[in-house]
Amino acid sequence: MPEERQSCEMMMALSQIRSMITTTIKSLITRCVVAKTKPVNPDIIRFFSDPVLPLHRQYLALRSFYYESKSAEDVATQFGYSVHAVYSMAKSFKNKLERSTQNGAELFFQKQEFGRPKQERAPDLVELVVNYRKKQLSVPDIKIILNAKGYDASEGTIYRISDENGFARLPKRSGEQRQELMESSGYVHVMPAPVSVMHPFLKKERFSSDGVGVLCFLPVLKAYEIDKAIENSTYPETAQIERLNSILAFLALKLSNVTRYGQDDGWCMDRGLGMFAGLNVLPKTSWYSAYSSAIERKDNIAFLKSMNRIFADRGLLSDTANLDFTAIPYWGDEDPFENNWSGKRSKALISIQAALAQDPDSGILCYGDTTVKHDNQNNVIVEFMDFYYEGTGKKVRYLVFDSKFTTLENLGRINGQGIKFITIQRRCKSLNSMIAQAPDAMWKKAKIEKANNKSRTVAYFESTTTNKLYGNQELRQISIKGASVKPATIMTNDFTLKAEDVIRRYSRRWLIEGDISEQIHFFHLNRNCSGIVVKVDFDLTMSILAHNLYRVLAQDLPGFTHNKASTLYEKFIKNSGDIIINQDSITVKMNRKRHLPILRESLPGSEEAYSWIGGKKIIFDANSHT
């Protein structure tokens, strides 16, 4: 019994396996049948049976003739050819196949190119790039030159051309070295002539510039209505370039720290600087000389008065003015000027003596005069008082100057007009002896404030004196000394102000000495004898305007209000980027740098269009690269 039961179970198991195999085979057969009978898209069949394009039909006909070994009659019937056409087509294909380098694939099939499509280059573009690279110009500098000449070449294209011609990367160089190379590159002779863009005919385009930072002063010009003051001034204009464009052309060079106006004017090719002035490019050096020769002293005086009215209405001029002289060296062969003391060189030299006046609170320079001679320098202070009243409509209350600025007789006249002054007595043996013999009990201490809330402690004591040249009236004397301060005696006609405040007021006069040094170095007042001739008084006026624009810009830069123009230029203004001209606006994309966000936030917001730039608005944005 057990054996029969075991045999029966095995039979049942085999039956189940046989049933499963049968079911699986039927399922596979069904799937195969469905796959064979699945309908195909008619368009796919039509693509191979009824070719539309001639080249496609030729390929299928030749395949049938050669690969499928069909007769010419059958091929002609199937594809709509004549028998003669089939034989002619086969013969032509055979000849082309013998000459083919890709086994005939290029006769019917297009090779797919990966990557960027190759851009067409202007016929002379490669030659220009190679010539400029031989002169050690960098890729960005070459792009600026080519954009000014009308070539739409990217930095990548210029780099690839340089690389294809075997040029290696250039070493890192300073801005001055790059400028010298730009000026000596020899492209000035083919420079485009400046054209005004006062009318909105600017076409849509994009170009690079090393002077995009200077365009940040455009909102400042607009916010303070300095553009209107220039248009209403008495400065001349030419048939080609209007008054506003002319003055802004000079101002662009001052704001951008162009080292000097050389014959090889590399800055002329920068279209960004040209746009600042409302031109396609800045004029050549000969134009600057010709324009300057038509300007008179009265034009500069009238413009400075209009500037003072603007700054006074906005609360940037206080009741105090610091005055000082500066010597602008003359390096010519002739000897038409007098010898003046130069504090920078600590000696007297042939120079032009200029007078400057500065507001101690805002740092605004409100006066400049280069017509000072030895026989009239004592009366400069009287001329300034008249100038200040005519410009602002009010009298200056405080005058601060050094011992050689005027005479005691003029001090008596100033005192008679109710104007307070603070000056310093000339050092002499008797004065030094009085300071040295003063007992220690008389000395008091005071703090002199400096930038960044820093201070310096000095010791002082007070006394009074009289002088017959001053009208035998009493003068207040405050003698000071300190660890890093030479003994000196401050003299004033103000008996109400505290001694500490008098010292602080006079100590702020030292700020104008720093501004004078800045005028000489950053704005290059000591480099007037360059490749072109610019009248010194007009050059000083433009320097004052540029200086004041930097001071106004600094007021809205948190933490940088005390920085000099040279520092502000290096941190904020010195930048390159791209300029994109659109239909209604111009987008200035500045390359990224550390202080760019602060600069963009500080710029005055203005929805107004700029009439001298085609009536377009300007939008400042950050580039995607440094």
Side-chain angles (χ1 to χ4, degrees), residues 14-58:
L14 289 174
S15 177
Q16 290 177 357
I17 293 171
R18 188 181 298 111
S19 176
M20 291 175 60
I21 293 173
T22 303
T23 304
T24 304
I25 292 173
K26 287 181 179 181
S27 176
L28 291 175
I29 293 173
T30 302
R31 290 183 181 180
C32 291
V33 172
V34 171
K36 288 182 179 181
T37 59
K38 185 178 181 181
V40 182
N41 189 340
D43 293 336
I44 297 177
I45 298 175
R46 194 178 301 115
F47 177 81
F48 292 100
S49 62
D50 300 321
V52 177
L53 298 177
L55 199 62
H56 185 195
R57 188 167 58 145
Q58 291 174 15

Side-chain angles (χ1 to χ4, degrees), residues 33-138:
V33 172
V34 171
K36 288 182 179 181
T37 59
K38 185 178 181 181
V40 182
N41 189 340
D43 293 336
I44 297 177
I45 298 175
R46 194 178 301 115
F47 177 81
F48 292 100
S49 62
D50 300 321
V52 177
L53 298 177
L55 199 62
H56 185 195
R57 188 167 58 145
Q58 291 174 15
Y59 169 77
L60 292 178
L62 289 172
R63 185 181 187 280
S64 298
F65 183 75
Y66 282 110
Y67 183 74
E68 298 178 2
S69 301
K70 291 183 179 182
S71 64
E73 291 78 4
D74 294 340
V75 172
T77 302
Q78 180 180 358
F79 293 99
Y81 292 112
S82 64
V83 176
H84 176 73
V86 174
Y87 282 119
S88 177
M89 187 168 52
K91 183 180 179 180
S92 176
F93 173 72
K94 183 179 179 181
N95 294 333
K96 290 180 180 179
L97 187 63
E98 292 176 354
R99 298 191 302 267
S100 173
T101 59
Q102 300 179 17
N103 297 325
E106 76 279 5
L107 302 178
F108 298 102
F109 303 102
Q110 184 178 2
K111 184 179 179 181
Q112 185 176 1
E113 297 286 346
F114 296 97
R116 287 186 178 180
K118 292 184 178 180
Q119 298 180 349
E120 295 184 2
R121 297 172 179 172
D124 54 346
L125 179 62
V126 176
E127 182 180 356
L128 286 172
V129 172
V130 170
N131 289 338
Y132 288 135
R133 284 293 280 109
K134 287 181 179 178
K135 296 172 182 178
Q136 302 297 309
L137 292 183
S138 64

Side-chain angles (χ1 to χ4, degrees), residues 140 208 246 364 417 452 454 467 506 566 582 611:
S208 297
S246 302
I364 296 291
Q417 297 181 24
N452 279 342
K454 296 180 181 179
N467 193 297
Y506 187 81
S566 56
N582 303 312
S611 59

Side-chain angles (χ1 to χ4, degrees), residues 536-563:
V536 181
D537 193 65
F538 176 63
D539 194 51
L540 175 61
T541 304
M542 292 296 100
S543 296
I544 290 174
L545 176 57
H547 170 90
N548 291 342
L549 287 175
Y550 270 103
R551 294 270 53 85
V552 171
L553 180 68
Q555 288 185 349
D556 296 324
L557 297 173
F560 300 93
T561 55
H562 63 284
N563 286 165

Side-chain angles (χ1 to χ4, degrees), residues 97-308:
L97 187 63
E98 292 176 354
R99 298 191 302 267
S100 173
T101 59
Q102 300 179 17
N103 297 325
E106 76 279 5
L107 302 178
F108 298 102
F109 303 102
Q110 184 178 2
K111 184 179 179 181
Q112 185 176 1
E113 297 286 346
F114 296 97
R116 287 186 178 180
K118 292 184 178 180
Q119 298 180 349
E120 295 184 2
R121 297 172 179 172
D124 54 346
L125 179 62
V126 176
E127 182 180 356
L128 286 172
V129 172
V130 170
N131 289 338
Y132 288 135
R133 284 293 280 109
K134 287 181 179 178
K135 296 172 182 178
Q136 302 297 309
L137 292 183
S138 64
V139 171
D141 292 338
I142 295 175
K143 185 179 188 303
I144 292 171
I145 299 172
L146 294 179
N147 287 161
K149 290 184 175 182
Y151 292 91
D152 186 15
S154 65
E155 291 188 8
T157 301
I158 298 172
Y159 175 79
R160 284 190 291 272
I161 293 175
S162 302
D163 187 61
E164 291 168 3
N165 288 270
F167 289 100
R169 286 184 176 271
L170 293 170
K172 190 173 182 180
R173 298 162 296 177
S174 64
E176 290 75 13
Q177 291 173 323
R178 287 180 59 189
Q179 181 181 339
E180 291 176 1
L181 288 171
M182 286 277 283
E183 292 177 351
S184 61
S185 59
Y187 58 78
V188 182
H189 303 291
V190 293
M191 184 185 66
V195 178
S196 174
V197 294
M198 292 287 285
H199 303 288
F201 62 84
L202 286 172
K203 62 179 182 180
K204 293 184 179 180
E205 60 177 331
R206 177 174 183 152
F207 55 87
S208 297
S209 170
D210 273 344
V212 295
V214 176
L215 295 174
C216 294
F217 285 101
L218 289 175
V220 180
L221 288 171
K222 201 73 174 177
Y224 285 81
E225 298 183 344
I226 296 177
D227 56 324
K228 294 181 180 179
I230 296 174
E231 290 177 339
N232 297 330
S233 67
T234 58
Y235 285 126
E237 58 185 6
T238 64
Q240 294 80 19
I241 306 178
E242 300 183 19
R243 178 181 296 113
L244 177 61
N245 305 90
S246 302
I247 299 302
L248 293 182
F250 275 93
L251 186 60
L253 299 183
K254 288 292 182 182
L255 295 173
S256 59
N257 191 29
V258 172
T259 304
R260 59 184 294 156
Y261 308 147
Q263 290 287 7
D264 298 321
D265 37 9
W267 34 266
C268 284
M269 296 301 289
D270 196 319
R271 293 186 61 187
L273 294 180
M275 178 172 288
F276 175 85
L279 305 170
N280 58 337
V281 291
L282 292 179
K284 293 184 179 180
T285 52
S286 57
W287 177 89
Y288 285 88
S289 180
Y291 183 85
S292 170
S293 63
I295 297 175
E296 300 179 4
R297 170 65 181 166
K298 62 180 182 180
D299 300 324
N300 298 325
I301 286 290
F303 180 69
L304 288 175
K305 288 179 180 178
S306 65
M307 288 294 97
N308 283 355

Side-chain angles (χ1 to χ4, degrees), residues 514-535:
D515 287 337
I516 288 174
S517 177
E518 187 175 53
Q519 296 285 331
I520 291 175
H521 290 283
F522 183 74
F523 298 113
H524 313 296
L525 280 181
N526 63 336
R527 298 180 181 178
N528 291 313
C529 294
S530 57
I532 62 175
V533 178
V534 177
K535 281 190 173 180

